[in-house]
């Protein structure tokens, strides 16, 4: 997954989950990216550094978002929420 910053001419960073994510969300402040891959949610800093791996679904993650300082995801008949990790730096 390539992340672009204005003026959008070239990628600012690339995140590399193990497989192609089904869903991706960007935090409101643009400092974190969450990617649903299989039954997990990987959380990455905007520079592409992985900062957390969130687990607990019983099926593929089909939705992910950031809300009120939390990462919320749904899939496998479950909805999970975790505190959003702090980006590095």
């Amino acid at each position: 997954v390539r992340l672009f910053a204005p003026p959008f001419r070239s990628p600012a960073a690339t995140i590399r989950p193990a497989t192609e994510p089904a869903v991706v969300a960007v935090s409101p402040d643009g400092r974190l990216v969450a990617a649903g891959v299989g039954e997990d949610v990987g959380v990455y800093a905007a520079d592409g550094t992985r900062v957390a791996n969130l687990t607990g679904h019983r099926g593929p993650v089909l939705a992910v978002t950031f809300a009120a300082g939390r990462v919320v995801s749904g899939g496998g008949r479950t909805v999970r929420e975790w505190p959003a990790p702090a980006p590095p730096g």
Side-chain angles (χ1 to χ4, degrees):
V1 175
R2 292 180 289 170
L3 308 175
F4 289 82
F8 306 108
R9 291 190 186 110
S10 61
T14 301
I15 62 172
R16 300 186 190 286
T19 61
E20 185 174 324
V23 292
V24 175
V26 178
S27 65
D29 65 6
R31 297 176 65 197
L32 294 172
V33 176
V37 177
E39 297 179 357
D40 299 335
V41 176
V43 182
Y44 300 82
D47 68 1
T49 304
R50 179 175 247 177
V51 295
N53 189 51
L54 310 175
T55 62
H57 286 287
R58 296 181 179 149
V61 174
L62 303 174
V64 65
T65 191
F66 288 88
R70 318 256 324 146
V71 178
V72 181
S73 60
R77 297 182 183 219
T78 58
V79 174
R80 301 278 186 220
E81 76 174 277
W82 301 269

